[in-house]
Amino acid sequence: MYPTISDLIKDLFGLNIPLPVQTFGFFMACSFAAAYMATGSELKRKESLGFLHTFQKSVTLNKPVSLSDFIINILIGALIGYKILEAILNYSSLTQNPQEFILSSKGNIFGALIGAGIAFYYKKKDADAVKGKEQKEEMQTVHPYQLMGNILGIAALTGLIGAKIFHNLENLDDFARDPMGALISFSGLTFYGGLIVAAFAVIYYTRKNGIPTLHMIDAAAPALILAYGIGRIGCQMSGDGDWGINNLSPKPRWMNFLPDWTWSFRYPHNVVGEGIPIPGCEGNHCTMLQFPVFPTPFYETIMALGIFVLLWSIRKKIKIPGLLFSLYLILNGMERFFIEKIRVNTTYSIFQHHITQAEIISSLLFFIGVAGSVYLIFFKKEHIEKELL
């Protein structure tokens, strides 16, 4: 396993380059970048077909810089400088545990002063640039795809909040033992929690800006499953605990052409420190699972990327708005429901049956997708096309 990108570089090229970048975080960033590009591409395509339209936005020009603007920028600059200079002077502390370093009170007061000074300088330049100029309002034309930066920011923030909330609801005992640690830790994220909360936030924002909801969710459908698949690469490569149940069975003959780890794996050097000590290992991340397990992140990566290819290939053929997203819900629900059968997870006891949070939500998404497909195909096709085109 490769808890950090430095571990990956060292294994591939034999170079020891200490970098403050964790493998899971790196692939999470890649997943957001991929979702940004895929969704933006779809919004451009839909606009070219006339499904989406530009809108006018009022922009204030030559607005004077207020005292509060100066104060906020100086505080932000001071905080950034406080952390950056300390990171430079104490780089080993940053690379050893980036999350702990960022969330700690560690910093350098001289860095804070430098950061505050730089922030003041640039804000002063902004103030001088508009000094003496008349403030005025101007209408600017905005394309839907130009909102992708805001959409991505909203999705990232609300998705993180939702993922933490659903994870803590699923692990109330851990939350009760250390509430603050559970809330601020970067580990412990539930995908469906992030998906649900972020979806409502993004839909609210895009509707306010005149983007029809059905076209928006269709544009995002392939991107969502693509981002999920890329994120699962990070889970597999870092060993973040999202693995399967014990798998002591011999590898099937039909898998002989694949490496042994694709059938069962002990996740050595996993990032969460789970398992037993690795003989002769020194330093951080020196544990591996006592028994081999199913590498479920690997399976989910394959299935998610396969679903993406399917959705991307048929997106131009589906003419009913909302139908592509309904299909995404069906396929995503099926994939997650069945992977839960061999995956380690917290279970609830309902009517004497043990079921996971993900199984409950994936089942709901599946039935919503089926109901949505039936409704759109048989009852709303003509009405929606007239309404949205």
Side-chain angles (χ1 to χ4, degrees), residues 142-188:
V142 179
H143 297 271
Y145 66 84
Q146 292 176 321
L147 300 177
M148 275 306 302
N150 292 341
I151 291 173
L152 185 66
I154 292 170
L157 177 60
T158 57
L160 178 62
I161 293 172
K164 293 300 296 184
I165 291 174
F166 275 68
H167 173 79
N168 288 316
L169 289 174
E170 193 177 28
N171 299 274
L172 289 175
D173 291 341
D174 294 339
F175 177 75
R177 282 194 295 268
D178 184 13
M180 186 57 64
L183 289 175
I184 66 175
S185 170
F186 286 131
S187 63

mmCIF file of all heavy atoms in Angstrom, residues 142-188:
data_model
loop_
_atom_site.group_PDB
_atom_site.id
_atom_site.type_symbol
_atom_site.label_atom_id
_atom_site.label_comp_id
_atom_site.label_asym_id
_atom_site.label_seq_id
_atom_site.Cartn_x
_atom_site.Cartn_y
_atom_site.Cartn_z
ATOM 1 N N VAL A 142 -23.586 35.135 -19.065
ATOM 2 C CA VAL A 142 -22.959 33.985 -18.401
ATOM 3 C C VAL A 142 -23.460 32.703 -19.038
ATOM 4 O O VAL A 142 -24.662 32.513 -19.226
ATOM 5 C CB VAL A 142 -23.274 33.972 -16.888
ATOM 6 C CG1 VAL A 142 -22.628 32.762 -16.217
ATOM 7 C CG2 VAL A 142 -22.807 35.265 -16.228
ATOM 8 N N HIS A 143 -22.535 31.824 -19.405
ATOM 9 C CA HIS A 143 -22.888 30.502 -19.921
ATOM 10 C C HIS A 143 -22.997 29.521 -18.753
ATOM 11 O O HIS A 143 -22.248 29.635 -17.773
ATOM 12 C CB HIS A 143 -21.826 30.012 -20.907
ATOM 13 C CG HIS A 143 -21.691 30.859 -22.128
ATOM 14 N ND1 HIS A 143 -22.435 30.652 -23.265
ATOM 15 C CD2 HIS A 143 -20.905 31.943 -22.376
ATOM 16 C CE1 HIS A 143 -22.111 31.548 -24.177
ATOM 17 N NE2 HIS A 143 -21.181 32.350 -23.669
ATOM 18 N N PRO A 144 -23.901 28.552 -18.833
ATOM 19 C CA PRO A 144 -24.052 27.589 -17.727
ATOM 20 C C PRO A 144 -22.744 26.912 -17.335
ATOM 21 O O PRO A 144 -22.477 26.722 -16.151
ATOM 22 C CB PRO A 144 -25.073 26.587 -18.280
ATOM 23 C CG PRO A 144 -25.907 27.384 -19.227
ATOM 24 C CD PRO A 144 -24.947 28.354 -19.862
ATOM 25 N N TYR A 145 -21.912 26.553 -18.320
ATOM 26 C CA TYR A 145 -20.667 25.852 -17.983
ATOM 27 C C TYR A 145 -19.700 26.732 -17.214
ATOM 28 O O TYR A 145 -18.785 26.235 -16.533
ATOM 29 C CB TYR A 145 -19.996 25.302 -19.249
ATOM 30 C CG TYR A 145 -19.485 26.355 -20.205
ATOM 31 C CD1 TYR A 145 -18.240 26.934 -20.027
ATOM 32 C CD2 TYR A 145 -20.247 26.766 -21.297
ATOM 33 C CE1 TYR A 145 -17.756 27.895 -20.904
ATOM 34 C CE2 TYR A 145 -19.781 27.728 -22.181
ATOM 35 C CZ TYR A 145 -18.542 28.294 -21.979
ATOM 36 O OH TYR A 145 -18.074 29.245 -22.848
ATOM 37 N N GLN A 146 -19.886 28.068 -17.290
ATOM 38 C CA GLN A 146 -19.012 28.970 -16.545
ATOM 39 C C GLN A 146 -19.296 28.947 -15.044
ATOM 40 O O GLN A 146 -18.528 29.509 -14.257
ATOM 41 C CB GLN A 146 -19.159 30.394 -17.078
ATOM 42 C CG GLN A 146 -18.608 30.567 -18.493
ATOM 43 C CD GLN A 146 -18.834 31.958 -19.054
ATOM 44 O OE1 GLN A 146 -19.887 32.578 -18.841
ATOM 45 N NE2 GLN A 146 -17.849 32.463 -19.775
ATOM 46 N N LEU A 147 -20.375 28.291 -14.648
ATOM 47 C CA LEU A 147 -20.701 28.151 -13.232
ATOM 48 C C LEU A 147 -20.023 26.938 -12.595
ATOM 49 O O LEU A 147 -20.192 26.686 -11.408
ATOM 50 C CB LEU A 147 -22.220 28.020 -13.047
ATOM 51 C CG LEU A 147 -23.082 29.193 -13.536
ATOM 52 C CD1 LEU A 147 -24.559 28.858 -13.343
ATOM 53 C CD2 LEU A 147 -22.733 30.468 -12.796
ATOM 54 N N MET A 148 -19.280 26.184 -13.398
ATOM 55 C CA MET A 148 -18.709 24.936 -12.903
ATOM 56 C C MET A 148 -17.769 25.144 -11.717
ATOM 57 O O MET A 148 -17.688 24.285 -10.831
ATOM 58 C CB MET A 148 -17.986 24.198 -14.023
ATOM 59 C CG MET A 148 -18.887 23.322 -14.879
ATOM 60 S SD MET A 148 -19.857 22.136 -13.917
ATOM 61 C CE MET A 148 -18.566 21.222 -13.077
ATOM 62 N N GLY A 149 -17.053 26.250 -11.675
ATOM 63 C CA GLY A 149 -16.172 26.508 -10.536
ATOM 64 C C GLY A 149 -16.970 26.603 -9.241
ATOM 65 O O GLY A 149 -16.609 25.994 -8.223
ATOM 66 N N ASN A 150 -18.071 27.379 -9.296
ATOM 67 C CA ASN A 150 -18.931 27.501 -8.113
ATOM 68 C C ASN A 150 -19.605 26.174 -7.787
ATOM 69 O O ASN A 150 -19.729 25.796 -6.615
ATOM 70 C CB ASN A 150 -19.990 28.574 -8.343
ATOM 71 C CG ASN A 150 -19.406 29.967 -8.417
ATOM 72 O OD1 ASN A 150 -18.287 30.196 -7.956
ATOM 73 N ND2 ASN A 150 -20.130 30.893 -8.999
ATOM 74 N N ILE A 151 -20.056 25.463 -8.823
ATOM 75 C CA ILE A 151 -20.714 24.173 -8.606
ATOM 76 C C ILE A 151 -19.765 23.199 -7.923
ATOM 77 O O ILE A 151 -20.137 22.491 -6.975
ATOM 78 C CB ILE A 151 -21.218 23.593 -9.940
ATOM 79 C CG1 ILE A 151 -22.382 24.440 -10.481
ATOM 80 C CG2 ILE A 151 -21.656 22.138 -9.780
ATOM 81 C CD1 ILE A 151 -22.832 24.044 -11.874
ATOM 82 N N LEU A 152 -18.518 23.169 -8.394
ATOM 83 C CA LEU A 152 -17.536 22.256 -7.804
ATOM 84 C C LEU A 152 -17.255 22.622 -6.350
ATOM 85 O O LEU A 152 -17.168 21.744 -5.484
ATOM 86 C CB LEU A 152 -16.237 22.298 -8.607
ATOM 87 C CG LEU A 152 -15.156 21.307 -8.182
ATOM 88 C CD1 LEU A 152 -15.620 19.880 -8.449
ATOM 89 C CD2 LEU A 152 -13.848 21.581 -8.910
ATOM 90 N N GLY A 153 -17.131 23.912 -6.074
ATOM 91 C CA GLY A 153 -16.879 24.341 -4.701
ATOM 92 C C GLY A 153 -18.028 23.983 -3.772
ATOM 93 O O GLY A 153 -17.817 23.506 -2.651
ATOM 94 N N ILE A 154 -19.255 24.217 -4.235
ATOM 95 C CA ILE A 154 -20.438 23.878 -3.434
ATOM 96 C C ILE A 154 -20.511 22.374 -3.201
ATOM 97 O O ILE A 154 -20.775 21.902 -2.084
ATOM 98 C CB ILE A 154 -21.712 24.374 -4.137
ATOM 99 C CG1 ILE A 154 -21.748 25.907 -4.135
ATOM 100 C CG2 ILE A 154 -22.969 23.811 -3.464
ATOM 101 C CD1 ILE A 154 -22.843 26.490 -5.011
ATOM 102 N N ALA A 155 -20.274 21.595 -4.262
ATOM 103 C CA ALA A 155 -20.333 20.138 -4.146
ATOM 104 C C ALA A 155 -19.265 19.616 -3.183
ATOM 105 O O ALA A 155 -19.529 18.717 -2.386
ATOM 106 C CB ALA A 155 -20.170 19.498 -5.517
ATOM 107 N N ALA A 156 -18.052 20.184 -3.265
ATOM 108 C CA ALA A 156 -16.958 19.720 -2.401
ATOM 109 C C ALA A 156 -17.259 20.009 -0.939
ATOM 110 O O ALA A 156 -17.104 19.132 -0.073
ATOM 111 C CB ALA A 156 -15.650 20.388 -2.821
ATOM 112 N N LEU A 157 -17.705 21.227 -0.647
ATOM 113 C CA LEU A 157 -17.951 21.613 0.748
ATOM 114 C C LEU A 157 -19.136 20.858 1.334
ATOM 115 O O LEU A 157 -19.039 20.234 2.398
ATOM 116 C CB LEU A 157 -18.178 23.120 0.834
ATOM 117 C CG LEU A 157 -18.509 23.664 2.229
ATOM 118 C CD1 LEU A 157 -17.367 23.371 3.198
ATOM 119 C CD2 LEU A 157 -18.795 25.169 2.172
ATOM 120 N N THR A 158 -20.279 20.906 0.645
ATOM 121 C CA THR A 158 -21.473 20.248 1.179
ATOM 122 C C THR A 158 -21.324 18.729 1.145
ATOM 123 O O THR A 158 -21.859 18.024 2.002
ATOM 124 C CB THR A 158 -22.725 20.659 0.391
ATOM 125 O OG1 THR A 158 -22.544 20.340 -1.009
ATOM 126 C CG2 THR A 158 -22.979 22.149 0.526
ATOM 127 N N GLY A 159 -20.598 18.218 0.139
ATOM 128 C CA GLY A 159 -20.358 16.783 0.077
ATOM 129 C C GLY A 159 -19.542 16.300 1.258
ATOM 130 O O GLY A 159 -19.822 15.246 1.839
ATOM 131 N N LEU A 160 -18.513 17.067 1.632
ATOM 132 C CA LEU A 160 -17.690 16.709 2.786
ATOM 133 C C LEU A 160 -18.526 16.722 4.066
ATOM 134 O O LEU A 160 -18.427 15.804 4.895
ATOM 135 C CB LEU A 160 -16.514 17.678 2.909
ATOM 136 C CG LEU A 160 -15.580 17.474 4.107
ATOM 137 C CD1 LEU A 160 -14.917 16.101 4.037
ATOM 138 C CD2 LEU A 160 -14.525 18.574 4.167
ATOM 139 N N ILE A 161 -19.368 17.748 4.208
ATOM 140 C CA ILE A 161 -20.230 17.833 5.396
ATOM 141 C C ILE A 161 -21.184 16.640 5.444
ATOM 142 O O ILE A 161 -21.349 15.988 6.481
ATOM 143 C CB ILE A 161 -21.006 19.159 5.389
ATOM 144 C CG1 ILE A 161 -20.042 20.339 5.568
ATOM 145 C CG2 ILE A 161 -22.066 19.166 6.499
ATOM 146 C CD1 ILE A 161 -20.688 21.698 5.388
ATOM 147 N N GLY A 162 -21.828 16.355 4.312
ATOM 148 C CA GLY A 162 -22.761 15.230 4.266
ATOM 149 C C GLY A 162 -22.079 13.902 4.525
ATOM 150 O O GLY A 162 -22.619 13.038 5.226
ATOM 151 N N ALA A 163 -20.880 13.734 3.973
ATOM 152 C CA ALA A 163 -20.141 12.482 4.172
ATOM 153 C C ALA A 163 -19.782 12.281 5.642
ATOM 154 O O ALA A 163 -19.848 11.163 6.161
ATOM 155 C CB ALA A 163 -18.877 12.485 3.312
ATOM 156 N N LYS A 164 -19.403 13.374 6.323
ATOM 157 C CA LYS A 164 -19.072 13.262 7.743
ATOM 158 C C LYS A 164 -20.316 12.984 8.571
ATOM 159 O O LYS A 164 -20.282 12.164 9.503
ATOM 160 C CB LYS A 164 -18.407 14.550 8.230
ATOM 161 C CG LYS A 164 -17.037 14.829 7.655
ATOM 162 C CD LYS A 164 -16.045 13.731 7.969
ATOM 163 C CE LYS A 164 -15.768 13.577 9.442
ATOM 164 N NZ LYS A 164 -14.714 12.553 9.715
ATOM 165 N N ILE A 165 -21.428 13.645 8.251
ATOM 166 C CA ILE A 165 -22.662 13.445 9.021
ATOM 167 C C ILE A 165 -23.131 11.997 8.921
ATOM 168 O O ILE A 165 -23.423 11.343 9.929
ATOM 169 C CB ILE A 165 -23.762 14.404 8.531
ATOM 170 C CG1 ILE A 165 -23.423 15.849 8.907
ATOM 171 C CG2 ILE A 165 -25.120 14.011 9.131
ATOM 172 C CD1 ILE A 165 -24.374 16.872 8.337
ATOM 173 N N PHE A 166 -23.199 11.469 7.705
ATOM 174 C CA PHE A 166 -23.691 10.106 7.512
ATOM 175 C C PHE A 166 -22.724 9.086 8.119
ATOM 176 O O PHE A 166 -23.163 8.055 8.650
ATOM 177 C CB PHE A 166 -23.897 9.823 6.025
ATOM 178 C CG PHE A 166 -25.237 10.277 5.517
ATOM 179 C CD1 PHE A 166 -25.551 11.628 5.438
ATOM 180 C CD2 PHE A 166 -26.194 9.360 5.124
ATOM 181 C CE1 PHE A 166 -26.772 12.056 4.976
ATOM 182 C CE2 PHE A 166 -27.429 9.776 4.654
ATOM 183 C CZ PHE A 166 -27.727 11.128 4.581
ATOM 184 N N HIS A 167 -21.417 9.358 8.043
ATOM 185 C CA HIS A 167 -20.453 8.437 8.645
ATOM 186 C C HIS A 167 -20.632 8.382 10.157
ATOM 187 O O HIS A 167 -20.606 7.300 10.764
ATOM 188 C CB HIS A 167 -19.027 8.860 8.313
ATOM 189 C CG HIS A 167 -17.990 8.045 9.030
ATOM 190 N ND1 HIS A 167 -17.619 6.779 8.620
ATOM 191 C CD2 HIS A 167 -17.250 8.307 10.151
ATOM 192 C CE1 HIS A 167 -16.705 6.292 9.439
ATOM 193 N NE2 HIS A 167 -16.459 7.197 10.371
ATOM 194 N N ASN A 168 -20.823 9.543 10.784
ATOM 195 C CA ASN A 168 -20.980 9.566 12.236
ATOM 196 C C ASN A 168 -22.312 8.980 12.677
ATOM 197 O O ASN A 168 -22.407 8.390 13.765
ATOM 198 C CB ASN A 168 -20.814 11.002 12.757
ATOM 199 C CG ASN A 168 -19.373 11.483 12.701
ATOM 200 O OD1 ASN A 168 -18.462 10.760 13.058
ATOM 201 N ND2 ASN A 168 -19.160 12.694 12.209
ATOM 202 N N LEU A 169 -23.346 9.124 11.853
ATOM 203 C CA LEU A 169 -24.616 8.461 12.154
ATOM 204 C C LEU A 169 -24.464 6.948 12.097
ATOM 205 O O LEU A 169 -25.129 6.211 12.835
ATOM 206 C CB LEU A 169 -25.697 8.918 11.164
ATOM 207 C CG LEU A 169 -26.206 10.350 11.309
ATOM 208 C CD1 LEU A 169 -27.164 10.682 10.177
ATOM 209 C CD2 LEU A 169 -26.898 10.531 12.661
ATOM 210 N N GLU A 170 -23.578 6.496 11.225
ATOM 211 C CA GLU A 170 -23.346 5.065 11.058
ATOM 212 C C GLU A 170 -22.428 4.518 12.154
ATOM 213 O O GLU A 170 -22.439 3.318 12.440
ATOM 214 C CB GLU A 170 -22.708 4.824 9.686
ATOM 215 C CG GLU A 170 -22.686 3.374 9.245
ATOM 216 C CD GLU A 170 -22.117 3.215 7.843
ATOM 217 O OE1 GLU A 170 -21.299 4.060 7.435
ATOM 218 O OE2 GLU A 170 -22.499 2.268 7.158
ATOM 219 N N ASN A 171 -21.654 5.406 12.778
ATOM 220 C CA ASN A 171 -20.690 4.987 13.805
ATOM 221 C C ASN A 171 -20.856 5.859 15.051
ATOM 222 O O ASN A 171 -19.947 6.584 15.449
ATOM 223 C CB ASN A 171 -19.261 5.094 13.266
ATOM 224 C CG ASN A 171 -19.020 4.215 12.056
ATOM 225 O OD1 ASN A 171 -18.684 3.041 12.173
ATOM 226 N ND2 ASN A 171 -19.197 4.793 10.873
ATOM 227 N N LEU A 172 -22.033 5.775 15.664
ATOM 228 C CA LEU A 172 -22.358 6.637 16.795
ATOM 229 C C LEU A 172 -21.467 6.364 18.007
ATOM 230 O O LEU A 172 -21.175 7.278 18.778
ATOM 231 C CB LEU A 172 -23.833 6.456 17.175
ATOM 232 C CG LEU A 172 -24.848 7.037 16.173
ATOM 233 C CD1 LEU A 172 -26.264 6.685 16.587
ATOM 234 C CD2 LEU A 172 -24.694 8.557 16.075
ATOM 235 N N ASP A 173 -21.035 5.122 18.172
ATOM 236 C CA ASP A 173 -20.169 4.807 19.313
ATOM 237 C C ASP A 173 -18.838 5.538 19.204
ATOM 238 O O ASP A 173 -18.344 6.103 20.185
ATOM 239 C CB ASP A 173 -19.926 3.294 19.383
ATOM 240 C CG ASP A 173 -21.186 2.528 19.762
ATOM 241 O OD1 ASP A 173 -22.112 3.159 20.305
ATOM 242 O OD2 ASP A 173 -21.243 1.313 19.510
ATOM 243 N N ASP A 174 -18.237 5.526 18.011
ATOM 244 C CA ASP A 174 -16.980 6.244 17.810
ATOM 245 C C ASP A 174 -17.165 7.742 17.996
ATOM 246 O O ASP A 174 -16.301 8.425 18.558
ATOM 247 C CB ASP A 174 -16.429 5.965 16.402
ATOM 248 C CG ASP A 174 -16.017 4.513 16.228
ATOM 249 O OD1 ASP A 174 -15.769 3.842 17.244
ATOM 250 O OD2 ASP A 174 -15.953 4.057 15.066
ATOM 251 N N PHE A 175 -18.297 8.256 17.522
ATOM 252 C CA PHE A 175 -18.581 9.690 17.661
ATOM 253 C C PHE A 175 -18.727 10.072 19.128
ATOM 254 O O PHE A 175 -18.243 11.121 19.566
ATOM 255 C CB PHE A 175 -19.850 10.051 16.897
ATOM 256 C CG PHE A 175 -20.274 11.482 17.039
ATOM 257 C CD1 PHE A 175 -19.602 12.488 16.368
ATOM 258 C CD2 PHE A 175 -21.328 11.833 17.866
ATOM 259 C CE1 PHE A 175 -19.977 13.826 16.499
ATOM 260 C CE2 PHE A 175 -21.715 13.155 18.010
ATOM 261 C CZ PHE A 175 -21.037 14.156 17.321
ATOM 262 N N ALA A 176 -19.401 9.206 19.918
ATOM 263 C CA ALA A 176 -19.607 9.486 21.342
ATOM 264 C C ALA A 176 -18.287 9.494 22.103
ATOM 265 O O ALA A 176 -18.101 10.278 23.037
ATOM 266 C CB ALA A 176 -20.559 8.457 21.943
ATOM 267 N N ARG A 177 -17.333 8.644 21.690
ATOM 268 C CA ARG A 177 -16.037 8.587 22.370
ATOM 269 C C ARG A 177 -15.187 9.827 22.101
ATOM 270 O O ARG A 177 -14.477 10.303 22.974
ATOM 271 C CB ARG A 177 -15.272 7.333 21.943
ATOM 272 C CG ARG A 177 -15.739 6.054 22.625
ATOM 273 C CD ARG A 177 -14.741 4.930 22.420
ATOM 274 N NE ARG A 177 -14.645 4.555 21.019
ATOM 275 C CZ ARG A 177 -15.383 3.600 20.456
ATOM 276 N NH1 ARG A 177 -16.259 2.929 21.188
ATOM 277 N NH2 ARG A 177 -15.249 3.313 19.176
ATOM 278 N N ASP A 178 -15.254 10.340 20.875
ATOM 279 C CA ASP A 178 -14.411 11.496 20.509
ATOM 280 C C ASP A 178 -15.152 12.361 19.495
ATOM 281 O O ASP A 178 -14.852 12.327 18.299
ATOM 282 C CB ASP A 178 -13.082 11.013 19.942
ATOM 283 C CG ASP A 178 -12.116 12.148 19.626
ATOM 284 O OD1 ASP A 178 -12.374 13.289 20.079
ATOM 285 O OD2 ASP A 178 -11.115 11.916 18.917
ATOM 286 N N PRO A 179 -16.140 13.158 19.951
ATOM 287 C CA PRO A 179 -16.957 13.951 19.017
ATOM 288 C C PRO A 179 -16.137 14.912 18.167
ATOM 289 O O PRO A 179 -16.319 14.981 16.955
ATOM 290 C CB PRO A 179 -17.924 14.716 19.947
ATOM 291 C CG PRO A 179 -17.933 13.924 21.215
ATOM 292 C CD PRO A 179 -16.564 13.329 21.337
ATOM 293 N N MET A 180 -15.223 15.656 18.783
ATOM 294 C CA MET A 180 -14.444 16.639 18.034
ATOM 295 C C MET A 180 -13.534 15.956 17.027
ATOM 296 O O MET A 180 -13.427 16.375 15.871
ATOM 297 C CB MET A 180 -13.625 17.504 18.991
ATOM 298 C CG MET A 180 -12.889 18.648 18.301
ATOM 299 S SD MET A 180 -14.015 19.746 17.374
ATOM 300 C CE MET A 180 -14.993 20.414 18.728
ATOM 301 N N GLY A 181 -12.868 14.893 17.443
ATOM 302 C CA GLY A 181 -11.986 14.170 16.537
ATOM 303 C C GLY A 181 -12.745 13.583 15.365
ATOM 304 O O GLY A 181 -12.262 13.586 14.226
ATOM 305 N N ALA A 182 -13.957 13.085 15.621
ATOM 306 C CA ALA A 182 -14.762 12.498 14.559
ATOM 307 C C ALA A 182 -15.208 13.547 13.550
ATOM 308 O O ALA A 182 -15.346 13.262 12.356
ATOM 309 C CB ALA A 182 -15.988 11.806 15.152
ATOM 310 N N LEU A 183 -15.416 14.774 14.021
ATOM 311 C CA LEU A 183 -15.911 15.832 13.131
ATOM 312 C C LEU A 183 -14.803 16.438 12.276
ATOM 313 O O LEU A 183 -15.029 16.766 11.109
ATOM 314 C CB LEU A 183 -16.583 16.932 13.961
ATOM 315 C CG LEU A 183 -17.927 16.571 14.591
ATOM 316 C CD1 LEU A 183 -18.410 17.703 15.483
ATOM 317 C CD2 LEU A 183 -18.972 16.255 13.525
ATOM 318 N N ILE A 184 -13.609 16.607 12.826
ATOM 319 C CA ILE A 184 -12.555 17.301 12.087
ATOM 320 C C ILE A 184 -11.606 16.361 11.364
ATOM 321 O O ILE A 184 -10.809 16.804 10.549
ATOM 322 C CB ILE A 184 -11.736 18.223 13.017
ATOM 323 C CG1 ILE A 184 -10.944 17.391 14.044
ATOM 324 C CG2 ILE A 184 -12.618 19.227 13.710
ATOM 325 C CD1 ILE A 184 -10.024 18.225 14.922
ATOM 326 N N SER A 185 -11.708 15.052 11.637
ATOM 327 C CA SER A 185 -10.820 14.116 10.970
ATOM 328 C C SER A 185 -11.144 14.033 9.489
ATOM 329 O O SER A 185 -12.312 14.067 9.085
ATOM 330 C CB SER A 185 -10.954 12.726 11.602
ATOM 331 O OG SER A 185 -10.269 11.765 10.831
ATOM 332 N N PHE A 186 -10.090 13.903 8.636
ATOM 333 C CA PHE A 186 -10.293 13.761 7.211
ATOM 334 C C PHE A 186 -10.657 12.323 6.833
ATOM 335 O O PHE A 186 -11.060 12.048 5.713
ATOM 336 C CB PHE A 186 -9.025 14.171 6.444
ATOM 337 C CG PHE A 186 -8.799 15.653 6.422
ATOM 338 C CD1 PHE A 186 -7.565 16.187 6.758
ATOM 339 C CD2 PHE A 186 -9.827 16.507 6.083
ATOM 340 C CE1 PHE A 186 -7.359 17.555 6.731
ATOM 341 C CE2 PHE A 186 -9.621 17.880 6.059
ATOM 342 C CZ PHE A 186 -8.397 18.409 6.383
ATOM 343 N N SER A 187 -10.480 11.394 7.774
ATOM 344 C CA SER A 187 -10.876 10.012 7.502
ATOM 345 C C SER A 187 -12.321 9.826 7.931
ATOM 346 O O SER A 187 -12.882 10.629 8.662
ATOM 347 C CB SER A 187 -9.968 9.041 8.274
ATOM 348 O OG SER A 187 -10.115 9.236 9.664
ATOM 349 N N GLY A 188 -12.922 8.728 7.488
ATOM 350 C CA GLY A 188 -14.296 8.450 7.868
ATOM 351 C C GLY A 188 -15.283 9.261 7.055
ATOM 352 O O GLY A 188 -15.916 10.198 7.545
#
